Amino acid sequence: MIEYLLLLLGESIMIFGTLGILRFPDVYTRLHAATKCDTGGAMNILIALAIASEASLLIKLKFLVLAFLIALINPMVSHAIARGAYKYGIKPKVVVDMYAWDNP
Amino acid sequence: MSRVPFYLKERLDEIRQRVLYETYEAQKLPKWEQVVLTWIALFSFWIVISGNARIENLFIGGIATLVISLFMYEMLTEDIRQTGHIVEKILYIGLFVIPQYLFIMAFRLIESNFKVAKHAILMDINPGIIKIKTDLHSNTGITILANSITLTPGTLTLDVDKKLGETYLYVHWIDVETLNREVAGEKIKGDIEAWLKKIFW
């Protein structure tokens, strides 16, 4: 029962993340939607699969290792994309930009 | 730092290296504790990844991870702060600190998903880039803090800067509430930093 709830939660999180990517104005706010919703949705779906599948315990543990690796790698990739976009010269649409104050 | 003259910049770098080196040397673990902690982490990872629990598999994995941890003991554990006996430390990290961190981060992640959904529907965003200060100095601790800030609601780490032994984080905040550095740090970091200070220096 609880695995269907987790699957539904993960898929709705993924749908709202896609909506956020389509509607937000620039790179940095789109990265918010991409990073958080991908991490949360993929982890929810993997935990639901680990509960629902009829495999042995060690294979279920491998699903949890995959969820851990996703939670480890996804924020690093988003940081690399955001910093690379800033160094490339894409200006963010913001009200205050303290990074441009300190790196003229 | 870019407006400082060159000779002064060299001198400041030297002072910073000395201060960091002394605090680091005072809080380092002994060598065999580093080897044991690295071996436990690598061996548990071997058991989960290899996927069968027969006795010869465990034996081969134990020997191989012991040899690796004898050579590479500095990579994983050089930032852990020295507190207490090793058994006490292993039990404390494994039973209290890691479940506490997983519990905190799971609820923050669910909350941030709902917050992104709310922002995507209502479009009430007010973005800005804020600079906050943190008390941590070790590389592993700063990495975990920056990744946790990226997963907490409404914030995304843009860059990390170390100046004169102090560490600053540039954070892209999707809904700027305040410009004060202390209040913003309190709102962004939350209890993650207090948690990280129990292990890393």
Side-chain angles (χ1 to χ4, degrees):
Chain A
M1 186 58 209
I2 194 168
E3 63 263 24
Y4 296 111
L5 280 179
L6 283 173
L7 266 180
L8 195 65
L9 185 63
E11 304 219 348
S12 55
I13 285 172
M14 285 287 201
I15 287 171
F16 280 116
T18 319
L19 186 67
I21 289 177
L22 289 177
R23 288 192 67 184
F24 280 156
D26 64 339
V27 180
Y28 307 97
T29 42
R30 278 178 187 160
L31 271 177
H32 278 277
T35 312
K36 284 158 198 162
C37 292
D38 273 5
T39 313
M43 283 177 75
N44 270 319
I45 292 173
L46 278 172
I47 291 172
L49 284 180
I51 294 173
S53 69
E54 296 160 347
S56 65
L57 188 65
L58 281 164
I59 298 181
K60 292 186 179 184
L61 273 178
K62 280 187 189 175
F63 279 116
L64 296 184
V65 169
L66 265 183
F68 173 70
L69 286 182
I70 284 174
L72 201 68
I73 291 169
N74 228 339
M76 267 189 274
V77 174
S78 94
H79 155 72
I81 293 174
R83 190 166 179 271
Y86 205 100
K87 296 283 179 190
Y88 186 67
I90 300 170
K91 291 297 171 196
K93 292 173 187 168
V94 288
V95 291
V96 53
D97 191 355
M98 293 193 186
Y99 194 59
W101 297 355
D102 290 344
N103 300 285
Chain B
M1 189 60 94
S2 62
R3 294 194 190 91
V4 181
F6 183 68
Y7 58 96
L8 197 55
K9 188 177 174 183
E10 237 177 14
R11 177 75 182 139
L12 286 178
D13 276 344
E14 189 183 318
I15 291 175
R16 180 184 63 189
Q17 285 300 324
R18 207 174 63 209
V19 169
L20 274 184
Y21 187 73
E22 281 175 0
T23 46
Y24 167 67
E25 280 296 315
Q27 291 173 337
K28 210 168 149 186
L29 293 181
K31 186 184 164 186
W32 68 276
E33 293 191 1
Q34 285 184 330
V35 172
V36 170
L37 281 175
T38 314
W39 183 67
I40 288 173
L42 286 180
F43 190 50
S44 54
F45 199 69
W46 165 269
I47 291 173
V48 175
I49 285 299
S50 70
N52 60 2
R54 286 179 306 169
I55 191 72
E56 61 265 22
N57 188 33
L58 294 185
F59 187 69
I60 291 172
I63 297 294
T65 49
L66 183 61
V67 170
I68 291 173
S69 63
L70 278 177
F71 283 107
M72 312 284 280
Y73 61 93
E74 278 183 338
M75 285 188 67
L76 191 62
T77 57
E78 66 174 352
D79 291 336
I80 293 182
R81 206 166 68 173
Q82 180 165 16
T83 48
H85 194 256
I86 180 167
V87 178
E88 182 187 342
K89 195 181 306 168
I90 290 171
L91 288 180
Y92 182 66
I93 290 177
L95 291 183
F96 287 104
V97 181
I98 292 177
Q100 196 178 356
Y101 177 71
L102 290 180
F103 195 73
I104 294 173
M105 281 313 294
F107 281 97
R108 298 301 291 269
L109 187 57
I110 297 289
E111 184 191 346
S112 77
N113 291 141
F114 285 121
K115 210 161 184 175
V116 166
K118 194 198 81 176
H119 284 309
I121 292 172
L122 297 180
M123 289 296 287
D124 52 347
I125 60 174
N126 185 19
I129 296 176
I130 303 288
K131 178 184 185 185
I132 61 173
K133 180 178 178 298
T134 166
D135 294 338
L136 295 166
H137 298 289
S138 67
N139 290 332
T140 316
I142 293 171
T143 310
I144 297 177
L145 179 67
N147 284 351
S148 307
I149 282 175
T150 303
L151 289 182
T152 48
T155 49
L156 189 145
T157 310
L158 199 62
D159 204 354
V160 177
D161 196 6
K162 282 186 180 179
K163 278 180 186 171
L164 288 174
E166 291 185 341
T167 313
Y168 295 101
L169 296 171
Y170 295 95
V171 174
H172 185 275
W173 201 358
I174 206 170
D175 191 8
V176 177
E177 299 169 16
T178 171
L179 291 184
N180 189 357
R181 184 175 295 164
E182 305 294 326
V183 184
E186 196 68 30
K187 273 184 186 296
I188 289 173
K189 286 180 294 190
D191 43 1
I192 305 278
E193 192 185 30
W195 176 84
L196 276 172
K197 271 188 187 172
K198 292 177 190 170
I199 295 183
F200 302 104
W201 50 279

